Amino acid sequence: MKLEDIDKSRVPQHVAIIMDGNGRWAQKQSHKRIFGHQNAMTAVRQAVEAAVATGVKYLTLYTFSTENWNRPQEEIDGLMELLIKAVRDETKTLMDNNVKLETIGETERIPERSRLKLQECINETAGNTAMTLVLALSYSSRWEIAKALRGVCNDARQGKLQPEDVNEETLRSYLATRNYPDPDLLIRTGGELRISNFLLWQMAYTEFYFSEQLWPDFRHEDFYDAVVDYQNRQRRFGKTGDQVKASE
């Protein structure tokens, strides 16, 4: 698909991506897994550019999960060094595309050197308005929901919140994603058919798109394919198809 194939009046406001397949991509070329991560930045750049061109307002990338801390230390160290390099090299791309960078997750676990470089980019891009790029770093939904529930319990213990006051919107206000709309579209590359502890609360009505493409090979056209597929679906949110048609 091309950009011209997209109906700009029905663009998903928020797209989330599980960037899967780096390790398998490297192994196919007889390299270590870190080689795949090193070659993933082109895909990240193309996804950001395609999202901005499409008119997406929020793009969330599942960059590093809390479970990824269980990987071999050599791979973790390599990923943290890549994070520094990526932020340093891609800040200009974000500025050129008027993209603001933000993060969600247990980022205090990220090594200080990586965290400081990340914060520099966040500060530099803070005034950009075309799109918000959210990196989910040291993130998992179970961590996020448990943290939110601790916040609710603490506020209830201090008398700031009564049990009868707790509803979906209350809990949402304690989530790491409280400042963002729920994803309209999830893209997962690499051919796997699962969501891997990613935005579980937020994806109650998200449309899923699974691609066989390994992440380092992901390009603008792959992003456009996913958006066009999304636009060919009817989003009902519990209503019947006839009700949706009548409201259009």
Side-chain angles (χ1 to χ4, degrees), residues 87 94 99-103 118 121-122 125-126 132-135:
V87 170
L94 298 181
V99 174
K100 177 195 296 187
L101 179 68
E102 296 186 354
T103 64
L118 189 63
C121 185
I122 290 171
T125 62
T132 299
L133 172 63
V134 183
L135 300 185

Side-chain angles (χ1 to χ4, degrees), residues 56-200:
V56 170
K57 290 302 180 184
Y58 299 88
L59 177 67
T60 299
L61 303 181
Y62 202 7
T63 309
F64 192 88
S65 74
T66 54
E67 289 84 0
N68 288 155
W69 291 113
N70 297 319
R71 291 189 175 187
Q73 191 60 47
E74 179 185 11
E75 183 173 350
I76 293 173
D77 292 342
L79 285 168
M80 292 301 109
E81 287 301 312
L82 279 175
L83 177 60
I84 293 173
K85 184 179 186 303
V87 170
R88 183 179 63 241
D89 293 349
E90 298 304 319
T91 297
K92 184 178 185 303
T93 299
L94 298 181
M95 295 302 295
D96 289 345
N97 286 278
N98 194 21
V99 174
K100 177 195 296 187
L101 179 68
E102 296 186 354
T103 64
I104 56 173
E106 203 175 3
T107 52
E108 59 269 19
R109 295 185 66 181
I110 302 294
E112 183 179 17
R113 184 162 165 259
S114 302
R115 203 166 61 245
L116 290 175
K117 182 58 66 175
L118 189 63
Q119 191 59 51
E120 286 178 14
C121 185
I122 290 171
N123 293 342
E124 187 170 347
T125 62
N128 292 343
T129 58
M131 186 182 77
T132 299
L133 172 63
V134 183
L135 300 185
L137 279 165
S138 191
Y139 169 90
S140 76
S141 277
R142 290 181 176 180
W143 162 83
E144 178 186 29
I145 293 170
K147 184 174 184 291
L149 289 174
R150 284 196 299 272
V152 169
C153 291
N154 285 335
D155 284 351
R157 184 169 54 191
Q158 296 175 35
K160 299 177 182 178
L161 196 64
Q162 298 302 314
E164 59 270 19
D165 296 330
V166 178
N167 55 33
E168 290 182 17
E169 285 306 310
T170 307
L171 186 55
R172 177 184 171 81
S173 70
Y174 286 84
L175 295 175
T177 56
R178 57 188 170 274
N179 295 322
Y180 315 125
D182 291 342
D184 301 296
L185 171 65
L186 168 74
I187 301 170
R188 179 170 187 147
T189 61
E192 301 290 356
L193 306 179
R194 55 178 178 267
I195 56 176
S196 300
N197 204 1
F198 183 45
L199 301 176
L200 301 179

Side-chain angles (χ1 to χ4, degrees), residues 193-211:
L193 306 179
R194 55 178 178 267
I195 56 176
S196 300
N197 204 1
F198 183 45
L199 301 176
L200 301 179
W201 174 277
Q202 297 85 347
M203 290 201 291
Y205 282 101
T206 298
E207 299 294 329
F208 291 0
Y209 179 88
F210 296 103
S211 169

Side-chain angles (χ1 to χ4, degrees), residues 29-49:
Q29 301 184 52
S30 301
H31 286 284
K32 292 184 177 180
R33 291 174 56 83
I34 195 66
F35 182 73
H37 300 308
Q38 291 168 342
N39 284 272
M41 279 314 303
T42 298
V44 171
R45 190 180 309 117
Q46 296 239 341
V48 170
E49 291 172 348

